[in-house]
Tab-separated table of all heavy atoms in Angstrom:
chain	number	residue	atom	x	y	z
B	50	ILE	N	-0.533	-34.556	-4.562
B	50	ILE	CA	-0.391	-35.280	-5.919
B	50	ILE	C	-1.184	-34.619	-6.922
B	50	ILE	O	-0.786	-34.461	-8.104
B	50	ILE	CB	-0.839	-36.683	-5.797
B	50	ILE	CG1	-0.156	-37.554	-4.803
B	50	ILE	CG2	-0.729	-37.474	-7.076
B	50	ILE	CD1	-0.508	-38.964	-4.309
B	51	GLY	N	-2.416	-34.193	-6.489
B	51	GLY	CA	-3.303	-33.604	-7.537
B	51	GLY	C	-4.795	-33.502	-6.910
B	51	GLY	O	-5.110	-34.104	-5.998
B	52	SER	N	-5.585	-32.791	-7.796
B	52	SER	CA	-6.959	-32.654	-7.406
B	52	SER	C	-7.795	-32.733	-8.604
B	52	SER	O	-7.415	-32.321	-9.714
B	52	SER	CB	-7.181	-31.321	-6.673
B	52	SER	OG	-6.535	-31.299	-5.460
B	53	ILE	N	-9.184	-33.077	-8.461
B	53	ILE	CA	-10.153	-33.081	-9.502
B	53	ILE	C	-11.380	-32.549	-9.048
B	53	ILE	O	-11.859	-32.647	-8.022
B	53	ILE	CB	-10.265	-34.616	-9.936
B	53	ILE	CG1	-11.184	-34.536	-11.225
B	53	ILE	CG2	-10.894	-35.435	-8.804
B	53	ILE	CD1	-11.200	-36.065	-11.893
B	54	TYR	N	-11.937	-31.695	-9.964
B	54	TYR	CA	-13.169	-31.007	-9.894
B	54	TYR	C	-14.327	-32.003	-10.114
B	54	TYR	O	-14.150	-32.993	-10.927
B	54	TYR	CB	-13.261	-29.787	-10.701
B	54	TYR	CG	-14.346	-28.758	-10.417
B	54	TYR	CD1	-14.518	-28.278	-8.985
B	54	TYR	CD2	-15.209	-28.295	-11.309
B	54	TYR	CE1	-15.445	-27.376	-8.674
B	54	TYR	CE2	-16.176	-27.358	-11.100
B	54	TYR	CZ	-16.348	-26.863	-9.658
B	54	TYR	OH	-17.247	-26.073	-9.474
B	55	TYR	N	-15.606	-31.891	-9.558
B	55	TYR	CA	-16.536	-32.794	-9.764
B	55	TYR	C	-16.883	-32.963	-11.355
B	55	TYR	O	-17.459	-33.958	-11.826
B	55	TYR	CB	-17.809	-32.458	-9.078
B	55	TYR	CG	-18.606	-31.313	-9.702
B	55	TYR	CD1	-19.866	-31.505	-10.368
B	55	TYR	CD2	-18.290	-29.994	-9.474
B	55	TYR	CE1	-20.484	-30.524	-10.980
B	55	TYR	CE2	-19.086	-28.953	-9.922
B	55	TYR	CZ	-20.041	-29.224	-10.608
B	55	TYR	OH	-20.812	-28.150	-11.226
B	56	SER	N	-16.601	-31.924	-12.142
B	56	SER	CA	-16.867	-31.791	-13.548
B	56	SER	C	-15.756	-32.592	-14.388
B	56	SER	O	-15.927	-32.857	-15.495
B	56	SER	CB	-16.896	-30.412	-14.107
B	56	SER	OG	-15.628	-29.816	-13.925
B	57	GLY	N	-14.659	-32.987	-13.692
B	57	GLY	CA	-13.634	-33.652	-14.358
B	57	GLY	C	-12.231	-32.891	-14.585
B	57	GLY	O	-11.416	-33.540	-14.970
B	58	ILE	N	-12.368	-31.698	-14.190
B	58	ILE	CA	-11.184	-30.799	-14.427
B	58	ILE	C	-10.168	-31.201	-13.347
B	58	ILE	O	-10.444	-31.505	-12.341
B	58	ILE	CB	-11.407	-29.273	-14.204
B	58	ILE	CG1	-12.461	-28.750	-15.343
B	58	ILE	CG2	-10.170	-28.485	-14.217
B	58	ILE	CD1	-12.957	-27.484	-15.077
B	59	THR	N	-8.893	-31.420	-13.851
B	59	THR	CA	-7.850	-31.920	-13.035
B	59	THR	C	-6.601	-30.950	-12.938
B	59	THR	O	-6.392	-30.209	-13.809
B	59	THR	CB	-7.276	-33.313	-13.573
B	59	THR	OG1	-7.021	-33.186	-14.861
B	59	THR	CG2	-8.366	-34.376	-13.500
B	60	TYR	N	-5.998	-30.954	-11.718
B	60	TYR	CA	-4.699	-30.340	-11.613
B	60	TYR	C	-3.842	-31.200	-10.855
B	60	TYR	O	-4.101	-31.900	-9.987
B	60	TYR	CB	-4.965	-29.134	-10.668
B	60	TYR	CG	-6.015	-28.004	-11.289
B	60	TYR	CD1	-7.114	-27.770	-10.611
B	60	TYR	CD2	-5.681	-27.293	-12.388
B	60	TYR	CE1	-7.997	-26.895	-11.214
B	60	TYR	CE2	-6.483	-26.458	-12.987
B	60	TYR	CZ	-7.725	-26.182	-12.278
B	60	TYR	OH	-8.641	-25.289	-12.899
B	61	TYR	N	-2.513	-31.083	-11.365
B	61	TYR	CA	-1.501	-32.058	-10.860
B	61	TYR	C	-0.261	-31.382	-10.391
B	61	TYR	O	0.100	-30.369	-10.912
B	61	TYR	CB	-1.105	-32.999	-12.078
B	61	TYR	CG	-2.163	-34.009	-12.558
B	61	TYR	CD1	-2.400	-33.953	-13.925
B	61	TYR	CD2	-3.086	-34.613	-11.768
B	61	TYR	CE1	-3.524	-34.854	-14.533
B	61	TYR	CE2	-4.050	-35.447	-12.253
B	61	TYR	CZ	-4.243	-35.571	-13.588
B	61	TYR	OH	-5.252	-36.315	-14.131
B	62	ASN	N	0.454	-32.120	-9.486
B	62	ASN	CA	1.746	-31.617	-8.950
B	62	ASN	C	2.668	-31.746	-10.122
B	62	ASN	O	2.750	-32.798	-10.747
B	62	ASN	CB	2.227	-32.521	-7.882
B	62	ASN	CG	3.491	-32.141	-7.242
B	62	ASN	OD1	4.352	-31.675	-7.879
B	62	ASN	ND2	3.729	-32.258	-5.985
B	63	PRO	N	3.301	-30.510	-10.457
B	63	PRO	CA	4.283	-30.700	-11.706
B	63	PRO	C	5.301	-31.715	-11.620
B	63	PRO	O	5.654	-32.250	-12.748
B	63	PRO	CB	4.859	-29.218	-11.671
B	63	PRO	CG	3.937	-28.269	-10.905
B	63	PRO	CD	3.278	-29.323	-9.887
B	64	SER	N	5.698	-32.103	-10.394
B	64	SER	CA	6.739	-33.220	-10.434
B	64	SER	C	6.210	-34.568	-10.756
B	64	SER	O	7.077	-35.450	-10.921
B	64	SER	CB	7.375	-33.118	-8.940
B	64	SER	OG	6.506	-33.436	-8.019
B	65	LEU	N	5.019	-34.786	-10.686
B	65	LEU	CA	4.324	-36.040	-10.909
B	65	LEU	C	3.371	-36.069	-12.178
B	65	LEU	O	3.028	-37.118	-12.622
B	65	LEU	CB	3.507	-36.411	-9.653
B	65	LEU	CG	4.211	-36.607	-8.340
B	65	LEU	CD1	3.231	-36.753	-7.259
B	65	LEU	CD2	5.159	-37.748	-8.384
B	66	LYS	N	3.312	-35.009	-12.748
B	66	LYS	CA	2.257	-34.777	-13.793
B	66	LYS	C	2.370	-35.744	-14.887
B	66	LYS	O	1.383	-36.284	-15.364
B	66	LYS	CB	2.303	-33.376	-14.325
B	66	LYS	CG	1.252	-32.985	-15.327
B	66	LYS	CD	1.213	-31.522	-15.702
B	66	LYS	CE	0.123	-31.308	-16.716
B	66	LYS	NZ	0.119	-29.776	-17.031
B	67	SER	N	3.564	-36.053	-15.265
B	67	SER	CA	3.792	-36.978	-16.436
B	67	SER	C	3.437	-38.441	-16.180
B	67	SER	O	3.208	-39.221	-17.060
B	67	SER	CB	5.328	-36.972	-16.860
B	67	SER	OG	6.073	-37.509	-15.820
B	68	ARG	N	3.152	-38.778	-14.921
B	68	ARG	CA	2.932	-40.128	-14.526
B	68	ARG	C	1.583	-40.355	-13.867
B	68	ARG	O	1.162	-41.527	-13.510
B	68	ARG	CB	3.865	-40.709	-13.499
B	68	ARG	CG	5.414	-40.848	-13.978
B	68	ARG	CD	6.223	-41.586	-13.146
B	68	ARG	NE	6.426	-40.949	-11.824
B	68	ARG	CZ	6.295	-41.639	-10.698
B	68	ARG	NH1	5.922	-42.828	-10.674
B	68	ARG	NH2	6.622	-41.039	-9.544
B	69	VAL	N	0.870	-39.167	-13.641
B	69	VAL	CA	-0.478	-39.324	-12.934
B	69	VAL	C	-1.614	-38.992	-13.719
B	69	VAL	O	-1.670	-38.259	-14.524
B	69	VAL	CB	-0.462	-38.281	-11.752
B	69	VAL	CG1	-1.746	-38.153	-11.030
B	69	VAL	CG2	0.645	-38.637	-10.772
B	70	THR	N	-2.699	-39.774	-13.376
B	70	THR	CA	-3.955	-39.517	-13.945
B	70	THR	C	-4.958	-39.637	-12.719
B	70	THR	O	-5.012	-40.619	-12.026
B	70	THR	CB	-4.467	-40.511	-15.042
B	70	THR	OG1	-3.553	-40.367	-16.140
B	70	THR	CG2	-5.891	-40.095	-15.512
B	71	ILE	N	-5.794	-38.582	-12.569
B	71	ILE	CA	-7.011	-38.617	-11.577
B	71	ILE	C	-8.223	-38.485	-12.258
B	71	ILE	O	-8.396	-37.744	-13.250
B	71	ILE	CB	-6.904	-37.467	-10.575
B	71	ILE	CG1	-5.541	-37.711	-9.774
B	71	ILE	CG2	-7.955	-37.478	-9.643
B	71	ILE	CD1	-5.189	-36.459	-8.723
B	72	SER	N	-9.086	-39.435	-11.989
B	72	SER	CA	-10.515	-39.485	-12.665
B	72	SER	C	-11.627	-39.534	-11.582
B	72	SER	O	-11.384	-39.822	-10.395
B	72	SER	CB	-10.571	-40.668	-13.582
B	72	SER	OG	-10.345	-41.861	-12.746
B	73	ILE	N	-12.703	-39.213	-12.097
B	73	ILE	CA	-13.878	-39.286	-11.142
B	73	ILE	C	-15.024	-40.021	-11.801
B	73	ILE	O	-15.196	-40.051	-13.017
B	73	ILE	CB	-14.392	-37.798	-10.826
B	73	ILE	CG1	-15.301	-37.787	-9.657
B	73	ILE	CG2	-14.865	-37.107	-12.045
B	73	ILE	CD1	-15.460	-36.368	-9.105
B	74	ASP	N	-15.742	-40.852	-11.016
B	74	ASP	CA	-16.921	-41.576	-11.467
B	74	ASP	C	-18.067	-41.237	-10.603
B	74	ASP	O	-18.257	-41.624	-9.432
B	74	ASP	CB	-16.663	-43.101	-11.228
B	74	ASP	CG	-17.829	-43.981	-11.864
B	74	ASP	OD1	-18.966	-43.383	-12.085
B	74	ASP	OD2	-17.567	-45.101	-12.253
B	75	THR	N	-18.932	-40.235	-11.047
B	75	THR	CA	-19.946	-39.793	-10.200
B	75	THR	C	-21.072	-40.793	-9.807
B	75	THR	O	-21.730	-40.745	-8.924
B	75	THR	CB	-20.611	-38.510	-10.770
B	75	THR	OG1	-20.966	-38.757	-12.060
B	75	THR	CG2	-19.592	-37.278	-10.788
B	76	SER	N	-21.180	-41.718	-10.780
B	76	SER	CA	-22.287	-42.738	-10.668
B	76	SER	C	-21.905	-43.707	-9.551
B	76	SER	O	-22.728	-44.287	-8.906
B	76	SER	CB	-22.469	-43.643	-12.010
B	76	SER	OG	-21.194	-44.360	-12.223
B	77	LYS	N	-20.573	-43.853	-9.285
B	77	LYS	CA	-20.191	-44.727	-8.084
B	77	LYS	C	-19.927	-43.961	-6.896
B	77	LYS	O	-19.283	-44.414	-5.843
B	77	LYS	CB	-18.980	-45.458	-8.491
B	77	LYS	CG	-19.311	-46.575	-9.641
B	77	LYS	CD	-18.035	-47.539	-10.041
B	77	LYS	CE	-18.396	-48.495	-10.962
B	77	LYS	NZ	-17.136	-49.257	-11.290
B	78	ASN	N	-19.800	-42.541	-7.036
B	78	ASN	CA	-19.418	-41.675	-5.965
B	78	ASN	C	-17.985	-41.931	-5.570
B	78	ASN	O	-17.637	-41.981	-4.298
B	78	ASN	CB	-20.334	-41.756	-4.620
B	78	ASN	CG	-20.764	-40.488	-4.175
B	78	ASN	OD1	-21.011	-39.605	-5.016
B	78	ASN	ND2	-21.078	-40.368	-2.968
B	79	GLN	N	-17.171	-42.057	-6.580
B	79	GLN	CA	-15.726	-42.425	-6.202
B	79	GLN	C	-14.794	-41.486	-7.262
B	79	GLN	O	-15.301	-41.097	-8.198
B	79	GLN	CB	-15.508	-43.877	-6.673
B	79	GLN	CG	-16.144	-44.719	-5.948
B	79	GLN	CD	-15.743	-46.331	-6.354
B	79	GLN	OE1	-15.640	-46.483	-7.559
B	79	GLN	NE2	-15.925	-47.287	-5.495
B	80	PHE	N	-13.598	-41.258	-6.688
B	80	PHE	CA	-12.546	-40.715	-7.649
B	80	PHE	C	-11.378	-41.543	-7.401
B	80	PHE	O	-11.173	-42.162	-6.460
B	80	PHE	CB	-12.376	-39.158	-7.335
B	80	PHE	CG	-11.864	-38.778	-6.009
B	80	PHE	CD1	-10.560	-38.476	-5.782
B	80	PHE	CD2	-12.738	-38.864	-4.926
B	80	PHE	CE1	-10.120	-38.031	-4.697
B	80	PHE	CE2	-12.232	-38.353	-3.670
B	80	PHE	CZ	-11.029	-37.910	-3.562
B	81	SER	N	-10.529	-41.617	-8.447
B	81	SER	CA	-9.454	-42.495	-8.545
B	81	SER	C	-8.052	-41.865	-8.922
B	81	SER	O	-8.079	-40.886	-9.592
B	81	SER	CB	-9.704	-43.654	-9.406
B	81	SER	OG	-10.954	-44.435	-9.013
B	82	LEU	N	-6.944	-42.524	-8.575
B	82	LEU	CA	-5.717	-42.089	-8.741
B	82	LEU	C	-4.934	-43.251	-9.503
B	82	LEU	O	-5.074	-44.357	-9.111
B	82	LEU	CB	-4.875	-41.820	-7.425
B	82	LEU	CG	-3.334	-41.643	-7.549
B	82	LEU	CD1	-2.979	-40.371	-8.222
B	82	LEU	CD2	-2.763	-41.644	-6.170
B	83	GLU	N	-4.174	-42.969	-10.544
B	83	GLU	CA	-3.283	-43.827	-11.316
B	83	GLU	C	-2.007	-43.278	-11.398
B	83	GLU	O	-1.862	-42.080	-11.712
B	83	GLU	CB	-3.785	-44.228	-12.580
B	83	GLU	CG	-4.975	-45.174	-12.722
B	83	GLU	CD	-5.184	-45.715	-14.133
B	83	GLU	OE1	-4.590	-45.099	-15.126
B	83	GLU	OE2	-5.903	-46.699	-14.357
B	84	LEU	N	-0.978	-43.979	-10.989
B	84	LEU	CA	0.444	-43.546	-10.969
B	84	LEU	C	1.150	-44.589	-11.765
B	84	LEU	O	1.306	-45.711	-11.209
B	84	LEU	CB	1.014	-43.269	-9.484
B	84	LEU	CG	2.467	-42.832	-9.307
B	84	LEU	CD1	2.539	-41.451	-9.950
B	84	LEU	CD2	2.822	-42.638	-7.959
B	85	ARG	N	1.851	-44.223	-12.741
B	85	ARG	CA	2.451	-45.084	-13.739
B	85	ARG	C	3.947	-45.097	-13.455
B	85	ARG	O	4.479	-44.348	-12.702
B	85	ARG	CB	2.216	-44.667	-15.114
B	85	ARG	CG	0.803	-44.728	-15.627
B	85	ARG	CD	0.594	-44.079	-17.001
B	85	ARG	NE	0.800	-42.685	-17.110
B	85	ARG	CZ	-0.083	-41.767	-16.688
B	85	ARG	NH1	-1.366	-42.116	-16.285
B	85	ARG	NH2	0.181	-40.511	-16.754
B	86	SER	N	4.561	-46.221	-13.900
B	86	SER	CA	6.005	-46.432	-13.784
B	86	SER	C	6.605	-46.237	-12.459
B	86	SER	O	7.471	-45.418	-12.191
B	86	SER	CB	6.720	-45.575	-14.993
B	86	SER	OG	6.234	-45.733	-16.200
B	87	VAL	N	5.984	-46.966	-11.508
B	87	VAL	CA	6.244	-46.565	-10.047
B	87	VAL	C	7.622	-47.262	-9.699
B	87	VAL	O	8.160	-48.257	-10.254
B	87	VAL	CB	5.216	-47.314	-9.174
B	87	VAL	CG1	3.956	-46.593	-9.377
B	87	VAL	CG2	5.157	-48.689	-9.199
B	88	THR	N	8.319	-46.675	-8.845
B	88	THR	CA	9.518	-47.045	-8.153
B	88	THR	C	9.403	-47.075	-6.669
B	88	THR	O	8.307	-46.744	-6.147
B	88	THR	CB	10.715	-46.097	-8.542
B	88	THR	OG1	10.561	-44.752	-7.748
B	88	THR	CG2	10.793	-45.759	-10.014
B	89	ALA	N	10.387	-47.522	-5.993
B	89	ALA	CA	10.436	-47.599	-4.385
B	89	ALA	C	10.065	-46.235	-3.943
B	89	ALA	O	9.397	-46.218	-2.835
B	89	ALA	CB	11.671	-48.208	-4.002
B	90	ALA	N	10.491	-45.270	-4.580
B	90	ALA	CA	10.224	-43.901	-3.917
B	90	ALA	C	8.691	-43.589	-4.024
B	90	ALA	O	8.311	-42.511	-3.310
B	90	ALA	CB	10.917	-42.813	-4.883
B	91	ASP	N	7.867	-44.303	-4.614
B	91	ASP	CA	6.412	-44.102	-4.555
B	91	ASP	C	5.865	-44.773	-3.419
B	91	ASP	O	4.623	-44.795	-3.392
B	91	ASP	CB	5.829	-44.442	-5.961
B	91	ASP	CG	6.265	-43.579	-7.032
B	91	ASP	OD1	6.240	-42.300	-6.894
B	91	ASP	OD2	6.633	-44.213	-8.077
Side-chain angles (χ1 to χ4, degrees):
Chain B
I50 300 171
S52 295
I53 186 165
Y54 196 50
Y55 76 100
S56 65
I58 296 172
T59 53
Y60 299 113
Y61 299 128
N62 185 323
S64 68
L65 297 170
K66 186 174 183 177
S67 64
R68 298 193 293 130
V69 172
T70 299
I71 297 175
S72 59
I73 194 164
D74 187 337
T75 55
S76 67
K77 294 182 179 179
N78 232 29
Q79 295 177 332
F80 63 106
S81 299
L82 165 70
E83 283 194 350
L84 182 62
R85 297 175 289 279
S86 304
V87 297
T88 70
D91 295 311

